[in-house]
Structure formats: C-alpha cells, structure tokens
Amino acid sequence: MSTTYADRPATSAPDDGEWLRSWDPENPATWDKSLAWRTLWISTFTLTLCFASWFLASAIAPKLTNLGFDLTNNQLYWLTSMPGLAGGLMRLIWMVLPPIMGTRRMVTLTTALLLIPVLGWGVQVQDPTTPYWVLLSLSFLSGIGGGAFSGFMPSTSYFFPRRMQGTALGLQAGIGNFGVSLVQLLTPWIIGFSMIGFLGSSAPMAAPPGKAAQVVWYQNAAFVYVPFILVGAALAWAMLKSVPIKANIRQQFDIFGNPDTWWMTLLYIMTFGTFAGLSAQFGLLVKNLYGAGNPDIVQGVGSAARLLVEGYTVPDPVAFVFLGPLVGAGARILFSPLTDRFGGARWTLVAGLGLIASIGYTATALTPDTTSAASLDAGFDRFLWGMLAIFLFAGIGNASTFKQMPMIFERRQAGGVIGWTGAIAAFGPFFFGVGLTIMSPTAFYVIGLAFAVLCVAITWWRYARPGAPRPS
C-alpha cells in the first residue's frame, strides 16, 4: 500500500484539531518546518524520559544488595534483563501504532504510562522485604519506556523530508539515548539528600570495603522523573498533531516480504542491540568482574566485606556505568549529519569494523588477574576503554542504519521497518543478561565478535560496495 497524502496544502487547518488534512514534507512550498521541529523536540523530550524509565532497573539493581535486599547475582542480572524482554515485546505493539493512533495520542498516552513503573520503583525500593516477583514485575513494566521508541521514531520520520531524516532521527534517537546516561548519572547524586519528606524516609546503604556506609533516599532515583513525565504528557497533548498516513495492521506487515527488512534488522541488532544490551549490563559487569561482586577480590557483603587483594581500590559501578551510554548517544548525534552528507552504508561499515576491533580488545580483559592490585588496575583500565570503544562504534552504527532505512524503503514502509528493527534490537538487554548468566563473559563476547563479522559482510555485499544492489 502506498502512502497517501491529500492534495491540499500542508498549512491548511486540521480536520478536528489533531489530524492534518494533508502533509507532504518533500514539497518545500507546503512543508510546515516549524511543526516538524516542534514535533521533534517534544517527542524527543518525552523519549528521553522513556529511556530513563526503561533503564531505571539497571541503575537501581547494582545497589539493591547494599540496601539489604537478599538477591543473588543471577537475580540481579534478571532484573536488568527483564526490561529488555518487555521493551522488545512492547515495541512489536508500538511499531503499528503511529498510523492507527497518530502522533499526538500515541506520545501523550505513552508518556503518561511511564508513571506506573516509575512510581512503583519509588515505593518498593524503600522496603528490602519486597518479594522478588514484585521487583521483576516492575522491571517488566519498565519496558513501556523501551516500547515507545518503535512508535516515536517512525512517527517523527513522517514529518521530515528524506534529505533531513538522518539528522532528525539521529537527534531524536541520540538525545533520547541520553536518558540511559541520565538515569545512571543522576541516581548516585539524587539519592544523597531528601527531596520532599512525605516521599519516604532514608536508609543506610553499605559501601565497598574501606569506605563508610552512606545514608540514602533511594526512592529519589525514581520519583525525580514524575514532574517531568507530567509536563511531557501535557505538552504532547497540547502541541502535537498527527500526519494522515493510514494503514491497518495487515497492510503494515508487507515489510516482511522485502529482504532488506531482514538484512537491516541484523545490522540494527549489531548496533542498537549492543548499545542497549551493554548499557543495561555495564554496571553489573564492573561489579562482578572488577568490583565487590567478584569473590576473588572481595569476600563477604555489606559491613562484613573484606578486601582480598592488598592495595586494590574496588571500583564503584555507579561511577562508571553512565559513561558508555553517554559516549554511544553522543556518537549517534554527532555522526547523524555525516550520514546525511556521505550516506549511511559507509558509516555502518565503519561501525562494524570498529566493533570487531573493540570487542576483540575488550575480550582480553574479561578474566581479571587477581594476583596483584597492579594487574587488576591494568585489567580494569583495558576493560573500561574497550567498553567505551564498543559504545562509540555502536553509536555511529545507530546513526547510520537509521539513515539507510528511509533511503531503502518508501515512506510508510520505512516507518514500519524502523519500528520493527527497533523492536528486535530492544531485546538486547534481555539476551545480554541471559547470555551472561549461562556462559562466561569471554565466550559471550566471542559470539558477539563473530556476529559483527557477519554484519560487516552483509553491509559490504548489499549496501556499501561499488555496484551494491541497494546503495544507501
């Protein structure tokens, strides 16, 4: 089914205050630039809140045992994995909503739904006796924020001409991705003081060996987003419009008959799947490889913890966990204009080659040498820089693949493919969490390296080489 636009100017009055009568961003004479950019900025603001909600569990989970929660390492991995499973499943729903609900209703409702997991986490982190199934349920509900991506991005693509979609989608996704860093950077600071008395009382949080226990208001990590969510929902309802691109669910599924849908899905798994998966697990990897979660480094937990390697300073995961998402989101923003200028396929190729090199480098630091503090420090430095390189190239690939899709597919299909690829790649946190519970980190990274090699071959053969079938 081809996209249908009415013949009347895009600047004509909406039919009912919400749906535009016509909209053709490829026609400069009728394209309402101010409406397009207003849509981008409001939906980007709310998408940032969605990502913060989606990764709230990854910021909270590493410290739950320090707060008195009786949880194993595997249970903590599952808490950070469940939002990925839920986000992927919910993206399969959100990907079909833009033509059905329209931008205004979809963005408003989605933003309001974020209150459910955010308020839930704020209440339950104050009670160490909270059953594990309740925490797991909250992790699943956090997937609402993950699902939003596959609705917001296609919706925004409707408002911009193809020549600008690399920049527009890169800005939205990149700034939205900053929500991951925001929640991980803000959490250790915001929990340090009481915001409003009636939100709850303080609690002691055990510190790594050699450091004093800290009094925290851990509920702040969730409650701080509530007023912004309310503002975002109000702005979306008051200021957004909807583009008259109509297609039912059956019609939207015609994307699956196009082989490029499947090739681009693999490429986006390589890029965003890696970004999302490592963003969720970065803190636990720091803790369990080089921190207090490694029994060869620290014996015991809480106030009874004892350092086994003399002279070693145990890294606090919250001091590093935000860096990876920050680098990845920044790369997505900075490289998006370059994809508009030079094409997406070339940068996807660069991203894939960079991922191969950085994954291989990081894999050499996944088995810590605990014989001395110096060897642990050197290993942690190698691990940290390798991880940041992975995030860098994943961010570049996130920008380039989203430039490719609008160039490969017609407008409505491009929106559907963006939603679908985003849905599948959103399972990254889940598969990374499960993978790290059933095999060693080294084995898991080797599998990731092999997958990156496959994706580089696909990129070169299908999109980047001279005479490629679908240059993009």
Side-chain angles (χ1 to χ4, degrees):
M1 176 182 175
S2 61
T3 301
T4 301
Y5 297 100
D7 294 328
R8 285 170 290 188
T11 53
S12 61
D15 286 345
D16 59 4
E18 175 179 356
W19 291 91
L20 297 165
R21 287 184 179 176
S22 62
W23 184 259
D24 185 2
E26 303 299 338
N27 183 352
T30 60
W31 178 47
D32 188 343
K33 183 178 180 181
S34 63
L35 174 59
W37 284 102
R38 182 168 75 242
T39 301
L40 175 68
W41 295 126
I42 292 175
S43 57
T44 297
F45 172 67
T46 55
L47 184 63
T48 304
L49 296 173
C50 288
F51 269 90
S53 172
W54 190 22
F55 281 83
L56 193 57
S58 72
I60 288 175
K63 291 296 186 181
L64 287 178
T65 54
N66 299 71
L67 290 166
F69 286 80
D70 185 16
L71 300 169
T72 66
N73 283 343
N74 276 356
Q75 286 177 318
L76 292 174
Y77 273 127
W78 273 103
L79 283 181
T80 56
S81 303
M82 191 56 66
L85 174 63
L89 293 174
M90 292 184 188
R91 284 188 179 191
L92 296 175
I93 299 172
W94 258 261
M95 64 176 280
V96 302
L97 295 184
I100 296 172
M101 293 184 66
T103 300
R104 182 193 186 199
R105 296 185 187 186
M106 180 191 64
V107 174
T108 301
L109 178 60
T110 302
T111 306
L113 286 174
L114 299 178
L115 291 171
I116 299 174
V118 167
L119 290 173
W121 276 115
V123 171
Q124 297 303 331
V125 295
Q126 300 179 65
D127 182 9
T129 65
T130 299
Y132 180 62
W133 70 266
V134 173
L135 299 177
L136 208 58
S137 298
L138 289 173
S139 287
F140 186 87
L141 290 171
S142 296
I144 294 171
F149 185 88
S150 284
F152 285 32
M153 296 295 287
S155 174
T156 298
S157 74
Y158 298 157
F159 285 85
F160 286 87
R162 287 188 176 186
R163 62 184 173 81
M164 296 180 63
Q165 287 193 16
T167 298
L169 296 181
L171 284 172
Q172 179 164 55
I175 295 174
N177 289 168
F178 275 129
V180 182
S181 282
L182 176 68
V183 71
Q184 294 171 340
L185 177 62
L186 190 60
T187 295
W189 173 73
I190 200 70
I191 64 175
F193 57 90
S194 175
M195 293 172 61
I196 303 175
F198 67 82
L199 293 181
S201 59
S202 62
M205 183 171 70
K211 296 184 179 180
Q214 182 184 4
V215 175
V216 297
W217 288 261
Y218 219 66
Q219 63 272 19
N220 292 358
F223 286 149
V224 68
Y225 299 103
V226 171
F228 297 99
I229 290 171
L230 295 174
V231 169
L235 286 173
W237 183 254
M239 302 184 70
L240 295 185
K241 304 295 181 182
S242 298
V243 174
I245 292 182
K246 291 291 189 177
N248 61 36
I249 294 176
R250 181 184 61 80
Q251 291 166 332
Q252 293 186 63
F253 283 176
D254 64 358
I255 62 173
F256 299 121
N258 190 327
D260 287 298
T261 297
W262 303 104
W263 297 129
M264 291 307 303
T265 299
L266 291 177
L267 300 188
Y268 200 58
I269 290 173
M270 175 184 71
T271 60
F272 185 77
T274 298
F275 171 85
L278 289 182
S279 293
Q281 306 303 333
F282 194 11
L284 287 177
L285 282 169
V286 171
K287 179 179 180 180
N288 294 333
L289 290 175
Y290 288 93
N294 187 333
D296 294 327
I297 296 175
V298 176
Q299 189 176 75
V301 296
S303 59
R306 181 170 65 90
L307 183 65
L308 298 180
V309 182
E310 184 177 353
Y312 179 60
T313 301
V314 178
D316 186 352
V318 299
F320 299 97
V321 68
F322 72 93
L323 290 173
L326 184 68
V327 169
R332 189 168 197 166
I333 294 172
L334 293 175
F335 280 83
S336 290
L338 295 177
T339 66
D340 274 336
R341 182 174 181 182
F342 298 107
R346 294 178 183 179
W347 287 108
T348 301
L349 191 66
V350 170
L353 293 171
L355 283 170
I356 291 171
S358 53
I359 292 171
Y361 178 80
T362 309
T364 65
L366 297 177
T367 305
D369 181 355
T370 59
T371 57
S372 69
S375 60
L376 278 173
D377 287 333
F380 178 69
D381 287 344
R382 190 164 67 253
F383 168 77
L384 180 61
W385 286 109
M387 288 288 287
L388 294 182
I390 293 174
F391 277 107
L392 171 66
F393 289 108
I396 294 172
N398 287 339
S400 61
T401 49
F402 264 47
K403 172 60 178 179
Q404 286 183 264
M405 285 182 267
M407 303 304 295
I408 295 170
F409 303 92
E410 60 97 358
R411 183 174 297 275
R412 180 186 58 77
Q413 279 200 329
V417 174
I418 287 171
W420 164 257
T421 56
I424 300 305
F427 286 108
F430 175 71
F431 287 120
F432 273 61
V434 171
L436 291 169
T437 62
I438 63 176
M439 67 183 75
S440 70
T442 301
F444 186 74
Y445 273 59
V446 169
I447 292 173
L449 189 151
F451 181 70
V453 170
L454 171 65
C455 290
V456 165
I458 292 171
T459 303
W460 174 254
W461 165 71
R462 185 71 178 172
Y463 305 112
R465 65 182 171 89
R470 296 307 300 269
S472 54

